[in-house]
Amino acid sequence: LSAVPWHYFIWRAGGHDGAGRTFVQEYLIRQHIGRFKGLDTVHNAPIWTYAAYFLVGFFPWACFSLPAFRIPRNTQGRELHRFLLTWFWTIFVFFSAGAAKLPTYIVPAYPAAALLIGKWLDAIIEPDSTVSGRRLLSLRRGASVAIVTATLLGIGVWIAPGLLPPNAIVPAEVFRFAHHLALILLIGSIAAWLAFVLRRLEQNRITGIYAFAVTMLLVAVTTVTEGYAAFAHGISEPYQSLARAANADARAGIPILYYRIVPRRPSMNFYSDYAPIEYGSMLPPQKGIVPLLPTLRRFLHPDADIVTSREALDGLVLPALTGAQDITIQSLRMNGAGKEGWALLRVHSAQATQPTSQKNDHENP
Protein backbone atom coordinates (compact mmCIF):
# COMPACT_ATOMS: atom_id res chain seq x y z
CA LEU A 1 0.00 0.00 0.00
CA SER A 2 2.87 2.40 0.69
CA ALA A 3 3.85 2.23 -3.00
CA VAL A 4 0.36 3.02 -4.32
CA PRO A 5 0.72 6.85 -4.12
CA TRP A 6 3.99 6.71 -6.09
CA HIS A 7 2.38 4.69 -8.88
CA TYR A 8 -0.66 6.95 -8.93
CA PHE A 9 1.27 10.22 -9.21
CA ILE A 10 3.65 8.83 -11.83
CA TRP A 11 0.65 7.72 -13.88
CA ARG A 12 -1.03 11.12 -13.46
CA ALA A 13 2.16 12.91 -14.56
CA GLY A 14 1.86 11.28 -17.97
CA GLY A 15 4.53 11.90 -20.59
CA HIS A 16 6.67 9.53 -22.64
CA ASP A 17 10.11 8.02 -22.24
CA GLY A 18 12.95 8.28 -24.78
CA ALA A 19 11.40 5.49 -26.87
CA GLY A 20 7.98 7.17 -26.93
CA ARG A 21 6.30 4.76 -24.49
CA THR A 22 3.83 5.87 -21.80
CA PHE A 23 4.05 4.81 -18.15
CA VAL A 24 1.52 2.03 -18.70
CA GLN A 25 3.25 0.79 -21.84
CA GLU A 26 6.75 0.77 -20.34
CA TYR A 27 6.25 0.06 -16.65
CA LEU A 28 3.23 -2.24 -16.60
CA ILE A 29 3.14 -3.93 -20.00
CA ARG A 30 6.82 -4.09 -20.97
CA GLN A 31 8.60 -4.29 -17.62
CA HIS A 32 6.07 -6.53 -15.82
CA ILE A 33 3.92 -8.54 -18.21
CA GLY A 34 6.64 -8.61 -20.87
CA ARG A 35 9.31 -9.84 -18.44
CA PHE A 36 6.98 -12.49 -17.03
CA LYS A 37 6.27 -13.78 -20.55
CA GLY A 38 9.97 -13.83 -21.45
CA LEU A 39 10.30 -10.85 -23.77
CA ASP A 40 13.35 -9.63 -21.83
CA THR A 41 15.58 -12.52 -22.92
CA VAL A 42 18.61 -11.22 -21.00
CA HIS A 43 17.05 -12.22 -17.66
CA ASN A 44 15.28 -15.44 -18.70
CA ALA A 45 16.27 -18.50 -16.66
CA PRO A 46 15.10 -22.11 -16.05
CA ILE A 47 12.28 -22.86 -13.63
CA TRP A 48 14.64 -24.30 -10.97
CA THR A 49 16.71 -21.09 -10.78
CA TYR A 50 15.14 -19.77 -7.59
CA ALA A 51 16.09 -22.92 -5.69
CA ALA A 52 19.74 -21.98 -6.31
CA TYR A 53 19.10 -18.27 -5.67
CA PHE A 54 17.43 -19.06 -2.35
CA LEU A 55 20.19 -21.43 -1.28
CA VAL A 56 22.87 -18.81 -1.97
CA GLY A 57 20.92 -15.65 -1.16
CA PHE A 58 19.65 -16.98 2.19
CA PHE A 59 22.87 -18.81 3.03
CA PRO A 60 23.46 -20.59 5.39
CA TRP A 61 19.98 -20.67 6.92
CA ALA A 62 18.42 -21.98 3.70
CA CYS A 63 20.39 -25.19 4.30
CA PHE A 64 17.99 -25.94 7.18
CA SER A 65 14.81 -25.14 5.26
CA LEU A 66 13.71 -28.74 4.59
CA PRO A 67 13.29 -29.75 8.25
CA ALA A 68 12.22 -26.25 9.30
CA PHE A 69 9.44 -26.06 6.71
CA ARG A 70 7.94 -29.39 7.81
CA ILE A 71 4.53 -28.86 9.45
CA PRO A 72 4.81 -29.73 13.17
CA ARG A 73 2.79 -32.61 14.60
CA ASN A 74 1.58 -30.70 17.65
CA THR A 75 -1.34 -28.35 17.13
CA GLN A 76 0.31 -25.42 18.93
CA GLY A 77 1.62 -22.94 16.36
CA ARG A 78 0.46 -25.03 13.41
CA GLU A 79 -1.75 -22.27 11.94
CA LEU A 80 1.09 -19.75 12.12
CA HIS A 81 3.38 -22.30 10.48
CA ARG A 82 0.93 -22.80 7.61
CA PHE A 83 0.54 -19.06 7.18
CA LEU A 84 4.31 -18.61 6.88
CA LEU A 85 4.55 -21.51 4.42
CA THR A 86 1.78 -19.98 2.29
CA TRP A 87 3.58 -16.63 2.37
CA PHE A 88 6.86 -18.19 1.26
CA TRP A 89 5.59 -20.60 -1.41
CA THR A 90 3.17 -18.13 -3.00
CA ILE A 91 6.04 -15.78 -3.82
CA PHE A 92 8.49 -18.57 -4.69
CA VAL A 93 6.14 -20.43 -7.06
CA PHE A 94 4.73 -17.30 -8.71
CA PHE A 95 8.12 -15.91 -9.72
CA SER A 96 9.41 -19.37 -10.66
CA ALA A 97 6.57 -19.60 -13.17
CA GLY A 98 7.71 -16.38 -14.85
CA ALA A 99 10.36 -16.43 -17.56
CA ALA A 100 12.53 -13.56 -16.30
CA LYS A 101 14.29 -14.27 -13.01
CA LEU A 102 16.45 -12.00 -10.86
CA PRO A 103 17.61 -12.83 -7.31
CA THR A 104 15.77 -9.85 -5.85
CA TYR A 105 12.34 -11.00 -7.04
CA ILE A 106 11.94 -13.55 -4.21
CA VAL A 107 13.38 -11.35 -1.44
CA PRO A 108 9.84 -10.69 -0.05
CA ALA A 109 9.71 -14.43 0.77
CA TYR A 110 12.81 -14.24 2.99
CA PRO A 111 11.06 -12.89 6.14
CA ALA A 112 8.73 -15.90 6.13
CA ALA A 113 11.68 -18.25 5.71
CA ALA A 114 13.56 -16.46 8.50
CA LEU A 115 10.66 -16.90 10.93
CA LEU A 116 10.23 -20.58 10.05
CA ILE A 117 13.92 -21.47 10.28
CA GLY A 118 14.47 -19.24 13.32
CA LYS A 119 11.61 -20.94 15.17
CA TRP A 120 13.04 -24.36 14.31
CA LEU A 121 16.55 -23.44 15.43
CA ASP A 122 15.28 -21.82 18.61
CA ALA A 123 13.64 -25.08 19.66
CA ILE A 124 16.92 -26.93 19.12
CA ILE A 125 19.40 -24.59 20.81
CA GLU A 126 17.28 -23.98 23.91
CA PRO A 127 19.57 -25.18 26.76
CA ASP A 128 16.76 -26.89 28.69
CA SER A 129 15.11 -28.50 25.68
CA THR A 130 15.15 -32.21 24.94
CA VAL A 131 16.14 -32.60 21.31
CA SER A 132 15.67 -35.81 19.39
CA GLY A 133 18.52 -37.42 17.54
CA ARG A 134 16.64 -36.69 14.32
CA ARG A 135 16.86 -32.94 14.90
CA LEU A 136 20.54 -33.14 15.79
CA LEU A 137 21.09 -35.07 12.57
CA SER A 138 19.23 -32.33 10.67
CA LEU A 139 21.68 -29.77 12.09
CA ARG A 140 24.64 -31.79 10.87
CA ARG A 141 23.07 -32.36 7.47
CA GLY A 142 22.35 -28.65 7.12
CA ALA A 143 25.96 -27.81 7.93
CA SER A 144 27.08 -30.43 5.40
CA VAL A 145 24.89 -28.83 2.73
CA ALA A 146 26.47 -25.48 3.63
CA ILE A 147 29.97 -26.94 3.14
CA VAL A 148 29.01 -28.37 -0.25
CA THR A 149 27.39 -25.07 -1.30
CA ALA A 150 30.40 -23.01 -0.22
CA THR A 151 32.73 -25.43 -2.02
CA LEU A 152 30.71 -25.22 -5.24
CA LEU A 153 30.69 -21.41 -4.98
CA GLY A 154 34.47 -21.44 -4.61
CA ILE A 155 34.86 -23.71 -7.64
CA GLY A 156 32.47 -21.50 -9.60
CA VAL A 157 34.47 -18.38 -8.79
CA TRP A 158 37.69 -20.16 -9.75
CA ILE A 159 36.46 -21.30 -13.19
CA ALA A 160 34.22 -18.27 -13.90
CA PRO A 161 36.82 -16.22 -15.84
CA GLY A 162 37.05 -18.95 -18.48
CA LEU A 163 33.26 -19.33 -18.80
CA LEU A 164 32.26 -15.68 -19.18
CA PRO A 165 31.29 -14.41 -22.64
CA PRO A 166 33.91 -12.33 -24.48
CA ASN A 167 31.99 -9.09 -23.94
CA ALA A 168 31.71 -9.55 -20.15
CA ILE A 169 33.30 -6.72 -18.19
CA VAL A 170 34.44 -8.15 -14.84
CA PRO A 171 37.68 -6.69 -13.40
CA ALA A 172 40.17 -8.87 -11.53
CA GLU A 173 39.45 -7.07 -8.23
CA VAL A 174 35.86 -8.32 -8.34
CA PHE A 175 37.03 -11.92 -8.73
CA ARG A 176 39.48 -11.41 -5.87
CA PHE A 177 36.63 -10.26 -3.62
CA ALA A 178 34.53 -13.26 -4.70
CA HIS A 179 37.40 -15.62 -3.80
CA HIS A 180 37.65 -14.08 -0.33
CA LEU A 181 33.89 -14.37 0.14
CA ALA A 182 33.83 -18.04 -0.87
CA LEU A 183 36.74 -18.78 1.49
CA ILE A 184 34.95 -17.12 4.44
CA LEU A 185 31.79 -19.14 3.74
CA LEU A 186 33.71 -22.40 3.50
CA ILE A 187 35.69 -21.87 6.72
CA GLY A 188 32.57 -20.80 8.63
CA SER A 189 30.59 -23.80 7.37
CA ILE A 190 33.34 -26.22 8.40
CA ALA A 191 33.51 -24.61 11.85
CA ALA A 192 29.73 -24.97 12.30
CA TRP A 193 29.81 -28.59 11.11
CA LEU A 194 32.54 -29.43 13.61
CA ALA A 195 30.48 -27.86 16.41
CA PHE A 196 27.50 -30.02 15.47
CA VAL A 197 29.50 -33.24 15.02
CA LEU A 198 32.03 -33.32 17.87
CA ARG A 199 30.58 -35.30 20.78
CA ARG A 200 31.96 -32.97 23.44
CA LEU A 201 30.02 -30.09 21.91
CA GLU A 202 26.82 -32.03 21.34
CA GLN A 203 25.04 -30.41 24.30
CA ASN A 204 26.31 -26.96 23.34
CA ARG A 205 24.47 -26.80 20.03
CA ILE A 206 24.40 -23.02 19.98
CA THR A 207 28.14 -23.01 19.16
CA GLY A 208 27.45 -24.04 15.57
CA ILE A 209 24.76 -21.37 15.18
CA TYR A 210 27.22 -18.80 16.51
CA ALA A 211 29.77 -19.99 13.93
CA PHE A 212 27.28 -19.36 11.13
CA ALA A 213 26.26 -15.98 12.59
CA VAL A 214 29.89 -14.83 12.84
CA THR A 215 30.51 -16.08 9.30
CA MET A 216 27.68 -13.97 7.90
CA LEU A 217 28.86 -10.97 9.91
CA LEU A 218 32.28 -11.33 8.27
CA VAL A 219 30.56 -11.66 4.89
CA ALA A 220 28.66 -8.43 5.51
CA VAL A 221 31.79 -6.55 6.60
CA THR A 222 33.80 -7.84 3.63
CA THR A 223 30.99 -6.93 1.24
CA VAL A 224 30.57 -3.33 2.41
CA THR A 225 34.33 -2.74 2.44
CA GLU A 226 36.28 -4.71 -0.16
CA GLY A 227 33.21 -5.70 -2.17
CA TYR A 228 31.74 -2.23 -2.45
CA ALA A 229 35.09 -0.76 -3.44
CA ALA A 230 35.68 -3.46 -6.06
CA PHE A 231 32.27 -3.10 -7.70
CA ALA A 232 32.18 0.69 -7.50
CA HIS A 233 35.70 1.25 -8.83
CA GLY A 234 35.83 -1.63 -11.29
CA ILE A 235 32.27 -1.90 -12.59
CA SER A 236 29.65 0.73 -11.74
CA GLU A 237 31.54 4.00 -11.37
CA PRO A 238 32.98 4.11 -14.93
CA TYR A 239 29.59 4.01 -16.67
CA GLN A 240 27.64 5.87 -13.97
CA SER A 241 30.05 8.80 -14.16
CA LEU A 242 29.64 8.91 -17.97
CA ALA A 243 25.87 9.11 -17.52
CA ARG A 244 26.39 12.09 -15.20
CA ALA A 245 28.90 13.68 -17.60
CA ALA A 246 26.27 13.80 -20.35
CA ASN A 247 23.82 15.82 -18.22
CA ALA A 248 25.17 19.18 -19.40
CA ASP A 249 24.79 18.22 -23.06
CA ALA A 250 21.26 16.97 -22.46
CA ARG A 251 20.34 20.30 -20.87
CA ALA A 252 21.65 21.98 -24.02
CA GLY A 253 19.17 19.96 -26.09
CA ILE A 254 21.61 17.35 -27.45
CA PRO A 255 20.09 13.83 -27.68
CA ILE A 256 21.93 11.16 -25.66
CA LEU A 257 22.12 7.69 -27.20
CA TYR A 258 23.02 4.63 -25.10
CA TYR A 259 24.29 2.20 -27.71
CA ARG A 260 24.84 -1.54 -27.40
CA ILE A 261 25.14 -1.67 -23.59
CA VAL A 262 24.69 -5.40 -22.92
CA PRO A 263 23.62 -6.24 -20.33
CA ARG A 264 21.65 -3.09 -19.67
CA ARG A 265 22.79 -0.93 -16.71
CA PRO A 266 19.60 0.59 -15.19
CA SER A 267 21.61 2.58 -12.64
CA MET A 268 22.83 4.81 -15.49
CA ASN A 269 19.32 6.22 -15.76
CA PHE A 270 19.40 7.09 -12.06
CA TYR A 271 22.39 9.37 -12.56
CA SER A 272 21.07 10.96 -15.76
CA ASP A 273 18.86 14.04 -15.78
CA TYR A 274 17.52 13.09 -19.20
CA ALA A 275 15.65 10.31 -20.98
CA PRO A 276 18.32 8.47 -22.99
CA ILE A 277 17.65 6.79 -26.29
CA GLU A 278 18.56 3.17 -25.54
CA TYR A 279 19.36 1.40 -28.78
CA GLY A 280 20.50 -2.19 -29.11
CA SER A 281 20.87 -2.54 -25.33
CA MET A 282 18.05 -5.02 -24.79
CA LEU A 283 19.26 -7.47 -27.44
CA PRO A 284 21.48 -10.39 -26.38
CA PRO A 285 24.99 -10.56 -27.86
CA GLN A 286 24.11 -13.50 -30.12
CA LYS A 287 21.73 -11.30 -32.10
CA GLY A 288 24.72 -9.84 -33.91
CA ILE A 289 25.56 -6.29 -34.92
CA VAL A 290 22.85 -3.68 -34.45
CA PRO A 291 23.09 -1.06 -37.24
CA LEU A 292 23.96 2.31 -35.74
CA LEU A 293 24.18 4.91 -38.49
CA PRO A 294 20.59 4.69 -39.89
CA THR A 295 19.11 5.19 -36.42
CA LEU A 296 21.66 7.79 -35.38
CA ARG A 297 20.79 10.01 -38.35
CA ARG A 298 17.23 10.34 -37.04
CA PHE A 299 18.56 12.20 -33.98
CA LEU A 300 21.45 14.17 -35.48
CA HIS A 301 20.34 17.80 -35.59
CA PRO A 302 23.23 18.32 -35.99
CA ASP A 303 24.78 16.79 -32.84
CA ALA A 304 24.20 13.76 -30.63
CA ASP A 305 26.12 12.10 -27.79
CA ILE A 306 26.81 8.38 -27.66
CA VAL A 307 27.49 6.49 -24.44
CA THR A 308 28.85 3.00 -25.07
CA SER A 309 31.43 0.47 -23.94
CA ARG A 310 34.97 0.57 -25.30
CA GLU A 311 34.43 -2.83 -26.86
CA ALA A 312 31.34 -1.63 -28.74
CA LEU A 313 33.19 1.56 -29.65
CA ASP A 314 36.09 -0.27 -31.26
CA GLY A 315 34.07 -3.10 -32.81
CA LEU A 316 30.85 -1.40 -33.90
CA VAL A 317 30.69 2.39 -33.51
CA LEU A 318 33.94 3.48 -35.15
CA PRO A 319 33.64 1.08 -38.13
CA ALA A 320 30.06 2.25 -38.69
CA LEU A 321 30.77 5.99 -38.51
CA THR A 322 34.25 6.48 -39.95
CA GLY A 323 33.07 5.70 -43.47
CA ALA A 324 30.44 8.46 -43.47
CA GLN A 325 31.94 11.59 -45.04
CA ASP A 326 29.55 14.03 -43.34
CA ILE A 327 30.12 12.59 -39.83
CA THR A 328 32.76 13.79 -37.38
CA ILE A 329 33.45 12.12 -34.03
CA GLN A 330 34.80 13.82 -30.92
CA SER A 331 35.84 11.88 -27.83
CA LEU A 332 34.46 13.74 -24.80
CA ARG A 333 35.45 11.30 -22.06
CA MET A 334 36.94 7.82 -21.61
CA ASN A 335 36.68 5.84 -18.38
CA GLY A 336 38.43 2.56 -17.66
CA ALA A 337 40.99 0.68 -19.68
CA GLY A 338 40.73 -1.85 -22.50
CA LYS A 339 37.46 -3.67 -22.99
CA GLU A 340 36.51 -2.79 -19.39
CA GLY A 341 36.32 0.91 -20.35
CA TRP A 342 33.48 3.19 -21.37
CA ALA A 343 33.26 6.09 -23.81
CA LEU A 344 31.26 9.30 -24.22
CA LEU A 345 31.35 10.63 -27.79
CA ARG A 346 30.00 13.67 -29.59
CA VAL A 347 28.82 12.93 -33.14
CA HIS A 348 28.30 15.83 -35.57
CA SER A 349 26.72 15.75 -39.01
CA ALA A 350 27.59 18.53 -41.44
CA GLN A 351 24.46 17.84 -43.49
CA ALA A 352 21.92 17.55 -40.66
CA THR A 353 19.54 20.29 -39.65
CA GLN A 354 17.71 20.78 -36.38
CA PRO A 355 13.95 20.53 -36.91
CA THR A 356 11.94 22.07 -34.10
CA SER A 357 9.62 19.06 -33.80
CA GLN A 358 12.50 16.61 -33.40
CA LYS A 359 14.24 18.82 -30.87
CA ASN A 360 11.17 19.07 -28.68
CA ASP A 361 10.64 15.29 -28.77
CA HIS A 362 14.02 14.58 -27.23
CA GLU A 363 14.63 17.40 -24.83
CA ASN A 364 14.86 16.73 -21.11
CA PRO A 365 11.70 15.25 -19.64
Side-chain angles (χ1 to χ4, degrees):
L1 292 177
S2 61
V4 170
W6 181 89
H7 288 81
Y8 173 75
F9 287 114
I10 291 294
W11 171 73
R12 283 293 304 271
H16 299 76
D17 64 7
R21 290 183 287 261
T22 64
F23 172 75
V24 173
Q25 292 171 332
E26 172 64 18
Y27 181 75
L28 295 180
I29 298 177
R30 185 165 175 263
Q31 295 295 340
H32 284 77
I33 299 176
R35 282 176 181 259
F36 193 89
K37 293 171 63 176
L39 300 182
D40 181 10
T41 56
V42 174
H43 297 129
N44 289 354
I47 193 170
W48 51 263
T49 300
Y50 279 125
Y53 282 166
F54 177 64
L55 183 61
V56 176
F58 202 62
F59 186 91
W61 318 116
C63 300
F64 303 102
S65 58
L66 290 181
F69 283 14
R70 190 181 297 119
I71 297 178
R73 294 180 181 179
N74 60 318
T75 57
Q76 184 179 5
R78 184 178 293 182
E79 292 301 318
L80 175 61
H81 195 94
R82 287 176 174 169
F83 168 75
L84 294 174
L85 283 178
T86 302
W87 174 358
F88 178 86
W89 287 115
T90 299
I91 296 172
F92 190 92
V93 172
F94 175 80
F95 285 107
S96 294
K101 294 178 177 66
L102 287 174
T104 52
Y105 289 175
I106 62 166
V107 168
Y110 285 7
L115 292 171
L116 286 166
I117 298 172
K119 182 176 179 294
W120 183 82
L121 289 173
D122 181 65
I124 291 181
I125 65 178
E126 183 64 35
D128 298 330
S129 64
T130 301
V131 181
S132 65
R134 182 180 178 182
R135 285 201 167 191
L136 288 176
L137 182 60
S138 296
L139 277 177
R140 296 166 184 169
R141 287 175 175 173
S144 299
V145 172
I147 292 176
V148 172
T149 303
T151 301
L152 292 177
L153 286 174
I155 294 174
V157 172
W158 181 55
I159 66 175
L163 300 179
L164 291 174
N167 67 322
I169 303 175
V170 184
E173 55 193 315
V174 173
F175 282 115
R176 186 164 52 251
F177 157 71
H179 280 294
H180 295 164
L181 217 57
L183 183 61
I184 292 173
L185 293 177
L186 180 59
I187 294 175
S189 299
I190 293 174
W193 180 82
L194 289 173
F196 294 144
V197 168
L198 292 179
R199 185 173 300 277
R200 64 186 178 86
L201 292 176
E202 191 168 81
Q203 298 304 316
N204 192 17
R205 296 174 293 273
I206 197 172
T207 304
I209 306 302
Y210 279 159
F212 275 134
V214 171
T215 298
M216 300 316 295
L217 179 61
L218 291 175
V219 167
V221 171
T222 306
T223 300
V224 300
T225 54
E226 180 188 6
Y228 178 82
F231 278 91
H233 177 265
I235 294 183
S236 59
E237 176 59 26
Y239 57 75
Q240 290 172 357
S241 61
L242 281 189
R244 290 194 299 266
N247 283 334
D249 289 347
R251 287 193 291 269
I254 298 175
I256 313 296
L257 176 67
Y258 289 177
Y259 178 70
R260 197 57 178 162
I261 299 177
V262 180
R264 186 171 177 261
R265 271 76 174 180
S267 64
M268 295 175 67
N269 293 341
F270 179 83
Y271 291 98
S272 62
D273 294 334
Y274 50 86
I277 303 156
E278 300 189 67
Y279 188 66
S281 298
M282 299 304 293
L283 297 176
Q286 60 267 27
K287 290 296 183 179
I289 296 177
V290 182
L292 170 63
L293 191 56
T295 297
L296 181 62
R297 288 192 182 278
R298 293 167 46 199
F299 306 107
L300 284 172
H301 44 75
D303 297 318
D305 284 0
I306 297 178
V307 178
T308 189
S309 67
R310 286 289 298 271
E311 185 176 38
L313 172 66
D314 297 334
L316 299 175
V317 176
L318 293 180
L321 300 183
T322 51
Q325 296 182 354
D326 64 309
I327 298 292
T328 58
I329 307 171
Q330 177 186 0
S331 175
L332 299 181
R333 185 166 177 174
M334 295 285 182
N335 288 345
K339 73 172 187 177
E340 299 174 0
W342 295 83
L344 173 62
L345 311 175
R346 170 73 53 77
V347 180
H348 176 82
S349 173
Q351 299 180 1
T353 59
Q354 189 171 357
T356 303
S357 59
Q358 268 196 335
K359 181 178 184 297
N360 291 336
D361 287 341
H362 298 284
E363 281 188 336
N364 297 338

